[in-house]
Amino acid sequence: KQLRETLASFKGGDIKKNTSIEPFKPTKNTYEVDVTLKPDQTAEFGLNLLVGAGRKLVLHYNPKTSILCLDRTNCTDFLSNEKYNSVFAKKMYAPVSLDNGVLKLHIFVDQASVEIFTNDGEVVLSAVTYPSEEQLGVQFYSNEGNTEIVSLDVWNMKSIW
């Protein structure tokens, strides 16, 4: 909490079916997101982190299968080593159930790393990323149904370096 800068807070917004929204844009790739999302019964939803320069890190949730997917197949501009790219460009999956109809995500982005805590630490995903300095965008999206942003708190963070 000592590294947090100014709080940006949003409550009660809706992400309509087959659309995306950008409720904030960090000033650098060092930020924290604490969000609670409530999908309708048909909505698949998620966040695109590190959006820019034609790339993004996708965090996708499917409530029908209760699977959270972190997709880093298109999140870096480091493409010089074919063997490395075949290992790096992967999708990670984890079973995560909605908690009383909502998914709580607490996300930390610190330059080349992303930490995602679901439902108060029930499941944790960690990933190394290599975004360019232009990859500052954050998008929330919902497919096949609507998703409510119950609450969203965002902080730019001071780097630990």
Side-chain angles (χ1 to χ4, degrees), residues 27-160:
T27 57
K28 56 190 175 206
N29 275 330
T30 312
Y31 56 91
E32 176 183 355
V33 177
D34 191 6
V35 63
T36 300
L37 299 162
K38 183 177 184 178
D40 68 20
Q41 293 183 345
T42 59
E44 294 183 22
F45 62 94
L47 288 86
N48 295 322
L49 304 169
L50 309 173
V51 178
R55 294 179 294 277
K56 61 187 171 185
L57 177 69
V58 179
L59 182 63
H60 181 84
Y61 185 74
N62 183 334
K64 295 174 197 161
T65 61
S66 297
I67 297 292
L68 184 69
C69 175
L70 183 62
D71 178 354
R72 59 176 195 189
T73 58
N74 185 31
C75 73
T76 184
D77 60 356
F78 180 75
L79 303 172
S80 63
N81 184 305
E82 188 174 318
K83 185 176 179 182
Y84 174 80
N85 291 335
S86 70
V87 174
F88 179 82
K90 298 287 183 188
K91 294 180 181 180
M92 297 171 237
Y93 298 93
V96 177
S97 296
L98 295 177
D99 183 8
N100 293 316
V102 300
L103 179 65
K104 298 176 187 175
L105 298 170
H106 202 151
I107 302 168
F108 296 89
V109 176
D110 189 9
Q111 302 297 332
S113 68
V114 176
E115 303 280 337
I116 301 160
F117 298 83
T118 66
N119 296 335
D120 300 318
E122 176 185 323
V123 172
V124 178
L125 295 173
S126 299
V128 173
T129 63
Y130 300 102
S132 70
E133 291 183 12
E134 294 85 38
Q135 288 179 249
L136 295 174
V138 177
Q139 300 169 328
F140 289 77
Y141 67 88
S142 186
N143 298 327
E144 307 306 321
N146 300 332
T147 300
E148 177 188 355
I149 299 175
V150 177
S151 64
L152 171 63
D153 292 331
V154 182
W155 298 266
N156 279 310
M157 302 285 286
K158 298 174 191 168
S159 178
I160 61 170

